[in-house]
Amino acid sequence: MAEAEYRAPVGTHDVLPPDSSRWAALVQAFAARAARFGYGLVITPIMEHVEVFQRVGAGTDVVRKEMYEFTDRGDRRLALRPEGTAPVVRAYVQHHPTPPWKVWYLAPHFRYERPQKGRYRQHWQLGAEVLGVDDPDVDVEIIALAHGFYRDLGLRHVSLLLNSMGTPEDRATFVRVLRDYLLEHGHDLGPEFLARADTHPLRLLDTNVEDWQDVIERAPQLTQHLSDASLRHFERVQHGLDALGITYELSPRLVRGFDYYTSSTFEFTSTALDAAQKAIGGGGRYDQLAEEMGGPPTAGIGFGIGIERVLIACDAEGVLIPDASGLDAFVIDALGEHDATQDATLLVAELREAGLHADRAYGGRSVKAQWKLADRSRASFGVMLAPKEAARGAVVVKDLETGDQLEVPRQQVPGWLRAHSEPNPEAGR
Ligand code: HAM
């Protein structure tokens, strides 16, 4: 087998310690916030029948060109989840829970994209969805959930872009106006522009081809064509965000990448990152989707946050530093042949059961080698079991940062360590 086959597939990556400690901290921060907002965890399969995704984006690149589709041994057409909303709506339609149904998820997503920094073939999203209420206060709540999460992590350079896609009727009227405008004003911009103006005029709005910008920037805006009801909803959302002190920028050309969006749409961008990877989360309403999947008419709204992108933003802002080990104690066994009673094994077990983070060396290493491992482990304290101290019923405790050393009675070790350890946020202590 070629060497390349023993590497993770292109566009995927392993997450190893200590970097994985940031994942744990990030997921814990999101889970805690979602729980405070009254959201329950939902777990859907990693694959669905392809129809579930075709519903949400027959006209989008993610579904048309980037899906990992396959036929299983029973001849079913399945796809690995390219996005998280469709499976959640499918689950809602299948199980008809009592609305409002407020859920959050953590899941791997698969898109056959051209890999680059911040763009992977497998990426992870933290997301939240609310089904069953068409109330602008829910739009505000869901935006506040994501906004507060970025703040919890310490990110400061995050902008919120806000738009409204109106109702499908508003959008149909607007698409006609937009298409006419683009075809008329862009008649000399070449065949590709004209073809796209004709088939997907909305999608043209957020392309960044330099030569097209003049025409695109002067194009009519959807928010000028909203019905009264859509406009009222959009204004209520803005007032709610104002009331919470969440700043946003109206972004009339924000067109999100799926067909299902209606009404409020939004995107969080990191101003600390390059354009290609700056979208660190996004979402919006999808008030028709449940019905399109055979369910009752059910309003819906949610967002997805790309974990890898958020971590790149954290790097750029110098926050959420990997936690080296989080160990409180590293136990050093200097008893050797004096240890007939497995004292080291017992002490490590006792510390762990007392809720402390403790580790040790294995394989009969010399005392010197064990101290080296203790230093490398970045534990707060080394705890040595040695014959002289053991005879007095004590152990040696060394502060591995300052080098200070003292004797602590063996019975008091867990209590002493607890009193002298920093609370470990990751462990929730
Ligand atoms: P999305 O904008 O396609 O929306 O993805 C959400 C986030 O996932 C993006 O803002 C980005 O941070 C991250 N992301 C997307 N593609 C990649 C990739 N190839 N590599 C790394 N990160 C990526 C959705 O998926 C919708 N389901 C969001 C939603 C939920 N709308 C309503 N509810």
Side-chain angles (χ1 to χ4, degrees):
M1 204 181 263
E3 200 181 311
E5 292 174 37
Y6 292 113
R7 302 180 68 85
V10 173
T12 71
H13 56 100
D14 302 311
V15 184
L16 311 177
D19 206 43
S20 50
S21 69
R22 309 165 84 200
W23 281 66
L26 189 139
V27 171
Q28 202 162 57
F30 191 87
R33 180 161 277 274
R36 291 207 301 280
F37 278 58
Y39 290 64
L41 174 65
V42 64
I43 301 173
T44 62
I46 204 165
M47 58 196 171
E48 297 275 349
H49 293 287
V50 280
E51 291 78 9
V52 170
F53 299 115
Q54 278 161 351
R55 280 271 168 234
V56 308
T60 65
D61 282 357
V62 171
V63 172
R64 275 190 320 135
K65 301 185 192 158
E66 297 169 2
M67 256 196 332
Y68 278 85
E69 289 181 55
F70 60 98
T71 306
D72 76 1
R73 289 168 195 270
D75 266 344
R76 295 172 198 88
R77 291 293 297 157
L78 300 173
L80 298 183
R81 171 199 300 113
E83 71 90 45
T85 309
V88 169
V89 174
R90 194 268 310 140
Y92 177 86
V93 170
Q94 182 175 337
H95 303 286
H96 30 82
T98 314
W101 199 48
K102 305 195 346 177
V103 292
W104 71 275
Y105 49 87
L106 162 69
H109 288 60
F110 303 85
R111 299 180 185 177
Y112 195 81
E113 299 198 78
R114 201 159 50 81
Q116 53 179 293
K117 186 171 184 202
R119 192 171 297 281
Y120 309 104
R121 291 189 174 159
Q122 175 180 325
H123 73 275
W124 286 77
Q125 286 187 26
L126 282 163
E129 314 284 347
V130 181
L131 282 128
V133 244
D134 173 25
D135 182 331
D137 287 354
V138 175
D139 305 34
V140 174
E141 174 179 293
I142 203 103
I143 291 172
L145 172 54
H147 177 268
F149 167 65
Y150 296 123
R151 215 187 36 209
D152 289 345
L153 299 180
L155 291 172
R156 292 292 172 269
H157 301 284
V158 177
S159 306
L160 166 61
L161 309 177
L162 186 66
N163 194 17
S164 172
M165 305 293 287
T167 60
E169 296 74 39
D170 298 344
R171 200 153 70 224
T173 316
F174 174 67
V175 164
R176 275 197 299 278
V177 173
L178 181 65
R179 181 184 289 116
D180 290 349
Y181 163 88
L182 292 171
L183 292 175
E184 189 187 330
H185 292 81
H187 59 87
D188 55 355
L189 291 182
E192 194 191 337
F193 180 89
L194 293 175
R196 288 169 69 171
D198 197 36
T199 50
H200 293 299
L202 271 181
R203 289 272 139 70
L204 257 187
L205 292 181
D206 68 350
T207 48
N208 43 17
V209 179
E210 192 88 17
D211 291 350
W212 301 351
Q213 291 313 307
D214 234 23
V215 170
I216 289 174
E217 271 164 26
R218 283 181 288 115
Q221 297 183 348
L222 177 50
T223 39
Q224 295 161 341
H225 294 260
L226 293 179
S227 59
D228 287 348
S230 295
L231 199 57
R232 264 201 311 279
H233 185 104
F234 193 36
E235 284 171 354
R236 272 293 303 269
V237 174
Q238 293 174 53
H239 292 155
L241 294 174
D242 292 340
L244 292 183
I246 297 176
T247 49
Y248 53 88
E249 197 183 306
L250 293 180
S251 180
R253 287 201 301 279
L254 174 70
V255 184
R256 305 246 326 121
F258 296 101
D259 293 346
Y260 51 62
Y261 287 115
T262 55
S263 187
S264 311
T265 49
F266 53 90
E267 206 152 88
F268 288 94
T269 60
S270 165
T271 49
L273 298 183
D274 296 340
Q277 69 222 32
K278 73 177 180 177
I280 55 171
R285 276 207 164 273
Y286 44 87
D287 291 341
Q288 320 280 320
L289 186 55
E291 206 174 344
E292 281 169 17
M293 286 199 190
T298 310
I301 183 165
F303 64 75
I305 290 175
I307 293 187
E308 293 87 351
R309 297 266 179 100
V310 169
L311 288 174
I312 297 173
C314 288
D315 288 339
E317 293 201 33
V319 296
L320 200 71
I321 310 293
D323 175 1
S325 77
L327 281 183
D328 300 307
F330 195 96
V331 172
I332 284 126
D333 182 4
L335 292 175
E337 71 270 20
H338 303 277
D339 181 19
T341 49
Q342 306 248 344
D343 286 355
T345 303
L346 289 176
L347 177 57
V348 175
E350 190 183 325
L351 297 181
R352 289 170 177 165
E353 294 309 315
L356 289 152
H357 292 203
D359 207 354
R360 57 171 288 187
Y362 302 94
R365 313 288 290 266
S366 73
V367 173
K368 194 169 156 209
Q370 291 184 59
W371 276 115
K372 226 182 226 162
L373 287 172
D375 278 329
R376 206 183 304 154
S377 79
R378 313 270 299 268
S380 306
F381 297 97
V383 179
M384 180 167 69
L385 294 159
K388 218 167 53 183
E389 287 78 8
R392 293 197 287 269
V395 302
V396 178
V397 174
K398 180 177 171 189
D399 183 324
L400 292 175
E401 203 170 289
T402 62
D404 294 346
Q405 210 163 294
L406 78 165
E407 218 174 281
V408 175
R410 167 68 183 80
Q411 294 311 320
Q412 291 171 22
V413 175
W416 189 96
L417 283 173
R418 230 191 335 243
H420 290 81
S421 294
E422 299 278 324
N424 186 329
E426 202 199 311
R429 282 195 283 118

